[in-house]
Amino acid sequence: MIDNQEWNRIKQDLISRDVMTKTVTLPQIDVTTNGIRDGYIKVQGNTLPVSRGFFSKLAKTVNVNSQLATSFMKNDDEQIYATLIKAIKQYKSIRAGASQQEYQLIADPVAHEVVNIVKGSSGGRLSMSTICDISERILNDNPDMALASAATHRGETSIHFINNKEIKIPGVGADEEFNFGFTINTTPTSTGLELYNHRLVCSNGMRMNMGRGAIAGNLSEITEGFSMRSLKAGSIDQFLNQVKRVEAQGFIPQGFKQAIKQTKSTRASFSELEGAIQLIMQEMPDQDSAKDYRNLVANYFPAYASTVDRIKRHGVDILQLNQNQKSNIKTGMSVWDVVNNLTFLGSNRSEFQIGNREGLKSQGGKLLDKALNTGLDLQYSSLQQL
């Protein structure tokens, strides 16, 4: 856990690295062929340097296939990309009329460049200094709470609070004990609250937000997630009151035991397994590193290679499979195994240089949540035999 001295150091780091945002509309952004090659955009006549991945993110934000956009730039077809973005800007401007959609340009204060663009206003995002003040207030008012960890990555910040009381979940394994708590998280446009836990057997952290779902009819009436999208009067008090409500239920997500049992007994689909691997690779410095890919699959997701071999033996071309088809192919790993490997790599230092480890914790929680909401891909596969 984080002591006061370490917290003071982390707090200064969080505040100094907090991103800067600028509200713009699409017509104000000028994308040129030279800008794509040299790494800049122009906003109302001002030149702003951008990161290597910015143009792919811009394409995705305006609903252009990001892989297609990347292929344009890799093949020196920057003019095609620039023309495409210009056409989309004109189309959206005509459709919007006087009411233009707002976007946020996200700038990294350390790298001194624009690293992302997201849709929406920044009206619900608290400053990092305010979030740190709220964190200290929560700790002072709740003596059983402690800080587990805190991290930030280009506007995505997570501060994890843990209840010091260890809880054993009956019926899910002899060594399964957890500390439960919550996470204050930010995006470039909002400040939110999620439930959080540590699995004590291996110190894995997992972020989750188990709201009500069509399958989970027995979940609590308490909304376990909260997102602040404006800073109107009373918003911070509402945020703190939500902390008190989840504390009253011990920070334990309703349906947690059920979700663990379901993920342990359900095979991960090829789609779920492939998605976990792709998420991790996206956070590597070299996303196309064949060496990292082989090591990741061999050491953490060995069922992937054996599943690929099985598919090929049946004469099926994997590249021709769509997501629906992949979601119906079983692998040799349970969903719980995939969750644990995601949260292990998200919570611990490993042989891989993973940029945003928090995203892995969050995805692990989403997979667990999936068992109660939409249902795991193969959760009801036994019904096919009826």
Side-chain angles (χ1 to χ4, degrees), residues 185 209 214 230 260 350:
N185 59 68
N209 181 6
S230 71
I260 291 180
S350 67

Side-chain angles (χ1 to χ4, degrees), residues 10 16 41 69 84 93 96 119 128 133 176 188 195 213 231 265 280 296 314 325 359:
I10 290 173
S16 65
I41 58 173
L84 180 61
S93 296
K119 188 181 295 185
M128 192 53 59
D133 288 344
E176 299 290 6
L195 295 187
L231 301 182
S265 63
I280 298 168
L296 181 65
H314 283 79
Q325 292 169 322

Side-chain angles (χ1 to χ4, degrees), residues 166-185:
E166 299 173 3
I167 296 177
K168 186 176 181 65
I169 305 294
V172 298
D175 58 354
E176 299 290 6
E177 291 188 342
F178 300 84
N179 283 125
F180 291 93
F182 65 94
T183 297
I184 294 178
N185 59 68

Side-chain angles (χ1 to χ4, degrees), residues 153-310:
H153 182 75
R154 295 185 167 179
E156 306 279 344
T157 301
S158 299
I159 302 177
H160 304 302
F161 299 80
I162 283 292
N163 190 331
N164 288 321
K165 297 176 181 177
E166 299 173 3
I167 296 177
K168 186 176 181 65
I169 305 294
V172 298
D175 58 354
E176 299 290 6
E177 291 188 342
F178 300 84
N179 283 125
F180 291 93
F182 65 94
T183 297
I184 294 178
N185 59 68
T186 71
T187 71
T189 59
S190 67
T191 306
L193 184 73
E194 293 177 324
L195 295 187
Y196 182 81
N197 77 79
H198 269 171
R199 183 186 180 212
L200 298 184
V201 67
C202 57
S203 298
N204 288 0
M206 182 191 306
R207 285 167 49 189
M208 68 194 70
N209 181 6
M210 290 185 170
R212 292 186 63 86
I215 295 172
N218 62 334
L219 290 186
S220 169
E221 292 298 330
I222 298 173
T223 300
E224 295 172 343
F226 178 84
S227 182
M228 188 186 303
R229 300 194 179 278
S230 71
L231 301 182
K232 62 185 179 182
S235 290
I236 294 179
D237 286 338
Q238 187 181 3
F239 185 88
L240 292 171
N241 286 336
Q242 182 66 12
V243 174
K244 293 178 182 178
R245 284 195 287 273
V246 294
E247 182 181 23
Q249 65 186 63
F251 303 105
I252 304 174
Q254 298 295 315
F256 184 74
K257 175 181 174 181
Q258 177 189 349
I260 291 180
K261 285 186 172 182
Q262 194 64 66
T263 53
K264 281 188 170 186
S265 63
T266 303
R267 294 277 191 94
S269 72
F270 188 63
S271 175
E272 289 165 336
L273 188 53
E274 185 178 61
I277 295 170
Q278 288 177 348
L279 175 67
I280 298 168
M281 288 302 300
Q282 286 170 8
E283 296 300 334
M284 302 276 195
D286 180 3
Q287 298 180 8
D288 299 320
S289 169
K291 180 181 177 182
D292 282 343
Y293 183 81
R294 286 194 300 269
N295 289 341
L296 181 65
V297 171
N299 295 327
Y300 294 92
F301 303 99
Y304 182 79
S306 59
T307 304
V308 169
D309 289 341
R310 191 179 78 242

Side-chain angles (χ1 to χ4, degrees), residues 25 91 114 146 198 295 312 330:
T25 60
Y91 173 76
V114 177
H198 269 171
N295 289 341
K312 288 180 178 178
K330 68 180 179 180

Side-chain angles (χ1 to χ4, degrees), residues 31 36 55 58-59 69 72 77-85:
V31 177
I36 296 171
F55 291 107
L58 172 60
F72 285 152
D77 292 326
E78 293 91 348
Q79 181 61 53
I80 298 176
Y81 176 92
T83 302
L84 180 61
I85 294 297

Side-chain angles (χ1 to χ4, degrees), residues 88-99:
I88 291 173
K89 283 168 49 181
Q90 292 175 338
Y91 173 76
K92 286 183 175 288
S93 296
I94 293 171
R95 290 293 301 269
S99 177

